[in-house]
Amino acid sequence: MSVSRNAEMLRCCVLYYQEQLAIQQIAERLNISRFKVSRYLKEAQGRGIVEVQIHDPNVEFEHLALRVEQALGLDEVVVVPTPFEASSESIRLAIGRAGSALFDDVTPETSVSITWGRTIAYMVDSLPGGKLNGHRVVDLAGGFGEVSSSVSSRAVTLRTAEKLNAECVQVPAPTIVGNAETARSLLAEDSIRRALDLAAESQIAVTGIGPVSKDSLIYLSGFMTDADITALRKKHGAVGSIIGRFYDIEGREVESEFKSRAIALEMDRFLSIPKRIAFAGGQAKLDSLIGVARGGLITTLVTDSQTATALLEAYGPATAAEQKALT
Amino acid sequence: MSVSRNAEMLRCCVLYYQEQLAIQQIAERLNISRFKVSRYLKEAQGRGIVEVQIHDPNVEFEHLALRVEQALGLDEVVVVPTPFEASSESIRLAIGRAGSALFDDVTPETSVSITWGRTIAYMVDSLPGGKLNGHRVVDLAGGFGEVSSSVSSRAVTLRTAEKLNAECVQVPAPTIVGNAETARSLLAEDSIRRALDLAAESQIAVTGIGPVSKDSLIYLSGFMTDADITALRKKHGAVGSIIGRFYDIEGREVESEFKSRAIALEMDRFLSIPKRIAFAGGQAKLDSLIGVARGGLITTLVTDSQTATALLEAYGPATAAEQKALT
DNA sequence: CGCCCTCTTGCACATATGTGCATTGTAAAC
DNA sequence: GTTTACAATGCACATATGTGCAAGAGGGCG
């Protein structure tokens, strides 16, 4: 009996998975009830007797994406292959290109908010022209002195609006101003307040993640000094910036002077935007990414495989233990 | 769009086959309709993107069995591993042992008809005692002078009846008698006629397949001479024997003198038994097996992997062509 | 031999999945 | 720019599959 039981199960597996027969047909063929077949198949799965292989070079990236989703608790993660020549620039390009897929569900009612950034600039470039239709594209924060015209706030927002065939609303101010006083008065400006209100009402936020280093656009555009960087890191524990605001490893906005000098959507209002997509990759941004994830600052992440792997290692242990507990 | 299409399909595959999510759950997670997921999965299957592997040392035998079923048009085929020391005797033993599984559906209403044979003797030995319950066990043909008492008709039928806890009905005559005259009078005997009538009414027939050679029990027990073998093969094209009757490569009973000298169930009545199981293996019986298959003489076959492979090669070409046509 | 326990089985029902068809979207051809 | 053909989509319905439960079969143990 126990001999034939295995054979029967095996036969069910072969007929089901390799001959593609329906469970009912298998039951008729083997003269057993369909319940039995169903239970055999379930048991075979549970015992790991059947294994499904997916033949596609990109499975590994989907796997990574899935694991990052679970580990960081994100709604959606897209992982692109890290380019062979893994320079910061090529990674930005690769990540940016993958972004267009995230715009599939943009409708003429959709309002998109956005910030400047090098990765974002690539993303906008790769958006198809004339296919998408959105309602409005609006800045999440002010701009900055021209580091490179193509990545400036003005250019990115404008070009996105063009590609989405949508209204363009900009925040006519720098991201960071000299002192809190100036910031207050600018934020009182109708044009700025209205723009930020519109940003707060958007359904999709698109942004990059900045490191707290000399490689950040905030530094490169002269909004902060070397001393600021040191202070932010050492004194405030800042690990990254998003929409011009700095946060620590737990994703809490740090209480530095920069908080009051920023012309950008307030963090709480930013967090009320239902879909917040970050485009970011590269080893330098690991801590920045862990922070946004821990703090729930974003819902969606587009990154590269190397970064994804590193993230899992840095963030994974807890999850690995959890998974063990589940088994 | 086409980029994201592949990614989406891939994601569906991973979620379905590796994360074991239901199609509906996948649909919700990816914000697409369940129909789309369903169709993606179907397409992936069709394109051969997913492949299922079954981890079990015996899959290959199930595969063989399946292919032999299709190639020879049998209802059910059981293939056992050819023993490492592939002597005729060890093959018979292996095949015989596998037979017990075929008796699962024997009920107290089941009447089983049976013939002698070395493989059958092993099969009977391996039947469990005290578990099965049948109604009647009856000879399909007469017996023979004692080649070996354990495989004699009398012993096999009797022991099977014991194991099945069933009534035992034998045909009190030799399988082959000296001339047609004797056969006619024996067949007119009440005891013999009644036994054969009961055999004709059985639901399951269990038999071996004999080659037309000096290795056949019919020869070994002295029912035929070397000259008979030659005549049967050359003149009549006989390739094997079943229930004491010879048939050619198309499975047609040959019109030799042996036909009128046999004390056995007539071929047409034999063919009316719904389930006809043959136990046979070994290279020597290849032609015999092809004959029974072509003629539809049996519905079920128990054999060993080496023989099964050889059968597919000998019988397969036509089927391979058919399969090509289907593709 | 009877009892109890466990594992298996089949059924009724709840759920999940597949499929033809009408509709919409899309891209090539004119 | 219009037309046409074709593929993609969603829906209603048919079908297939999963699951809790109660009945039954087997298998030790007293």
Side-chain angles (χ1 to χ4, degrees):
Chain A
M1 201 59 164
S2 66
V3 177
S4 77
R5 191 188 143 81
N6 268 340
E8 215 166 51
M9 186 158 79
L10 204 53
R11 203 162 267 227
C12 287
C13 288
V14 171
L15 289 171
Y16 187 73
Y17 290 108
Q18 302 186 333
E19 301 290 313
Q20 320 268 42
L21 292 186
I23 287 179
Q24 286 197 337
Q25 294 177 298
I26 298 172
E28 285 163 24
R29 183 149 175 183
L30 303 185
N31 276 313
I32 56 183
S33 80
R34 67 185 183 80
F35 308 106
K36 207 169 171 180
V37 178
S38 176
R39 282 165 178 145
Y40 275 146
L41 293 173
K42 195 175 173 184
E43 186 185 340
Q45 277 210 335
R47 287 216 250 156
I49 292 176
V50 297
E51 187 197 352
V52 180
Q53 293 203 335
I54 300 173
H55 300 294
D56 189 299
N58 294 317
V59 217
E60 77 172 288
F61 304 114
E62 295 299 330
H63 263 130
L64 266 176
L66 225 48
R67 283 161 62 202
V68 172
E69 266 177 34
Q70 292 180 336
L72 308 207
L74 296 171
D75 287 350
E76 190 174 356
V77 172
V78 174
V79 172
V80 303
T82 303
F84 178 70
E85 186 254 322
S87 68
S88 300
E89 209 54 24
S90 64
I91 290 178
R92 285 189 197 104
L93 177 58
I95 292 174
R97 277 192 177 148
S100 38
L102 278 306
F103 284 80
D104 274 356
D105 48 359
V106 168
T107 72
E109 283 75 44
T110 311
S111 174
V112 176
S113 56
I114 198 164
T115 58
W116 33 257
R118 288 163 287 190
T119 312
I120 303 294
Y122 283 125
M123 190 276 288
V124 176
D125 279 345
S126 74
L127 283 180
K131 313 262 176 167
L132 296 167
N133 286 291
H135 173 229
R136 178 189 295 131
V137 177
V138 49
D139 277 331
L140 277 162
F144 45 80
E146 303 300 306
V147 175
S148 151
S149 63
S150 68
V151 300
S152 79
S153 177
R154 239 158 290 284
V156 163
T157 314
L158 201 61
R159 272 185 297 149
T160 307
E162 279 167 9
K163 295 262 179 141
L164 294 190
N165 191 29
E167 177 193 354
C168 177
V169 177
Q170 300 199 317
V171 171
T175 303
I176 312 276
V177 295
N179 55 62
E181 206 75 3
T182 315
R184 259 194 298 280
S185 40
L186 276 174
L187 286 169
E189 284 287 325
D190 253 21
S191 61
I192 292 176
R193 201 166 33 74
R194 267 183 287 137
L196 291 180
D197 286 350
L198 288 176
E201 284 165 16
S202 64
Q203 289 90 51
I204 302 179
V206 175
T207 174
I209 299 285
V212 186
S213 75
K214 293 189 184 179
D215 191 44
S216 78
L217 278 185
I218 295 178
Y219 176 87
L220 291 174
S221 55
F223 287 137
M224 66 180 173
T225 64
D226 292 20
D228 289 331
I229 291 179
T230 308
L232 278 165
R233 300 184 71 148
K234 295 284 150 85
K235 187 170 163 205
H236 298 289
V239 298
S241 71
I242 191 169
I243 60 166
R245 302 184 175 277
F246 294 95
Y247 55 84
D248 64 16
I249 194 70
E250 297 300 331
R252 294 170 303 217
E253 186 173 6
V254 300
E255 300 292 334
S256 76
E257 54 158 333
F258 280 96
K259 184 173 177 184
S260 50
R261 286 169 54 197
I263 309 297
L265 189 60
E266 300 77 15
M267 192 59 98
D268 56 343
R269 287 212 285 170
F270 174 66
L271 294 179
S272 72
I273 299 173
K275 187 168 181 175
R276 306 184 295 282
I277 311 174
F279 289 77
Q283 296 288 348
K285 291 187 185 167
L286 260 188
D287 284 349
S288 320
L289 283 170
I290 292 175
V292 279
R294 289 221 178 125
L297 305 188
I298 61 170
T299 62
T300 306
L301 172 65
V302 183
T303 192
D304 66 286
S305 55
Q306 216 168 66
T307 307
T309 308
L311 263 175
L312 282 175
E313 263 178 49
Y315 203 97
T319 310
E322 281 169 31
Q323 289 186 344
K324 217 173 244 172
L326 289 175
T327 314
Chain B
M1 199 60 163
S2 67
V3 176
S4 77
R5 190 188 143 81
N6 269 341
E8 214 165 51
M9 186 156 80
L10 204 52
R11 203 162 266 228
C12 287
C13 289
V14 171
L15 288 171
Y16 187 74
Y17 290 108
Q18 301 187 335
E19 302 290 313
Q20 319 267 43
L21 292 187
I23 288 179
Q24 284 196 340
Q25 294 177 298
I26 298 172
E28 285 162 26
R29 182 151 178 182
L30 302 185
N31 277 313
I32 56 182
S33 79
R34 66 184 184 81
F35 308 106
K36 207 169 172 180
V37 178
S38 175
R39 281 165 178 145
Y40 274 147
L41 293 173
K42 195 175 173 183
E43 186 185 341
Q45 277 211 333
R47 286 215 252 155
I49 291 175
V50 297
E51 186 197 351
V52 181
Q53 291 203 336
I54 300 173
H55 299 294
D56 190 298
N58 294 316
V59 218
E60 79 172 286
F61 304 114
E62 294 300 330
H63 262 130
L64 266 177
L66 225 48
R67 284 161 63 203
V68 173
E69 265 178 34
Q70 292 181 336
L72 308 206
L74 296 172
D75 287 350
E76 189 175 357
V77 173
V78 174
V79 172
V80 302
T82 303
F84 180 69
E85 185 256 321
S87 68
S88 300
E89 209 55 24
S90 64
I91 291 178
R92 285 189 198 107
L93 177 58
I95 292 175
R97 277 192 177 146
S100 37
L102 277 307
F103 284 80
D104 273 357
D105 50 358
V106 167
T107 71
E109 284 74 43
T110 311
S111 174
V112 176
S113 56
I114 198 165
T115 59
W116 32 258
R118 287 163 289 191
T119 312
I120 303 294
Y122 284 124
M123 189 276 288
V124 176
D125 280 345
S126 74
L127 284 179
K131 314 260 177 169
L132 297 167
N133 286 291
H135 173 230
R136 180 188 295 132
V137 178
V138 47
D139 278 331
L140 277 161
F144 43 79
E146 305 298 305
V147 175
S148 148
S149 64
S150 69
V151 300
S152 80
S153 176
R154 236 159 291 284
V156 163
T157 313
L158 201 60
R159 271 185 299 149
T160 307
E162 279 166 11
K163 296 261 180 145
L164 294 190
N165 191 28
E167 178 194 354
C168 176
V169 177
Q170 300 199 315
V171 171
T175 303
I176 312 276
V177 293
N179 55 63
E181 205 75 6
T182 314
R184 258 194 298 281
S185 36
L186 276 175
L187 286 170
E189 286 286 324
D190 253 19
S191 61
I192 293 176
R193 198 165 36 71
R194 265 183 287 139
L196 291 179
D197 286 350
L198 289 177
E201 284 165 15
S202 63
Q203 289 91 50
I204 302 180
V206 174
T207 175
I209 300 283
V212 186
S213 75
K214 292 189 184 179
D215 190 45
S216 77
L217 279 185
I218 295 177
Y219 175 86
L220 291 174
S221 55
F223 287 139
M224 67 180 173
T225 64
D226 292 21
D228 288 332
I229 290 178
T230 309
L232 278 165
R233 299 185 71 148
K234 295 285 149 83
K235 187 171 162 203
H236 299 288
V239 298
S241 70
I242 190 169
I243 60 167
R245 300 183 175 280
F246 294 95
Y247 55 83
D248 65 16
I249 194 70
E250 297 298 332
R252 293 171 302 218
E253 188 174 4
V254 301
E255 300 291 334
S256 75
E257 52 159 333
F258 280 96
K259 183 175 177 184
S260 50
R261 285 169 54 198
I263 308 298
L265 189 61
E266 299 78 14
M267 191 60 98
D268 56 344
R269 287 213 285 169
F270 173 67
L271 294 179
S272 73
I273 298 173
K275 186 168 182 175
R276 305 183 296 281
I277 311 174
F279 290 76
Q283 295 288 347
K285 290 186 182 168
L286 259 187
D287 284 349
S288 320
L289 283 170
I290 292 175
V292 279
R294 290 220 178 127
L297 306 188
I298 61 172
T299 62
T300 306
L301 172 65
V302 182
T303 193
D304 66 286
S305 55
Q306 215 170 67
T307 308
T309 308
L311 263 175
L312 282 175
E313 262 178 51
Y315 204 97
T319 310
E322 280 170 33
Q323 289 186 344
K324 217 174 244 172
L326 289 174
T327 314

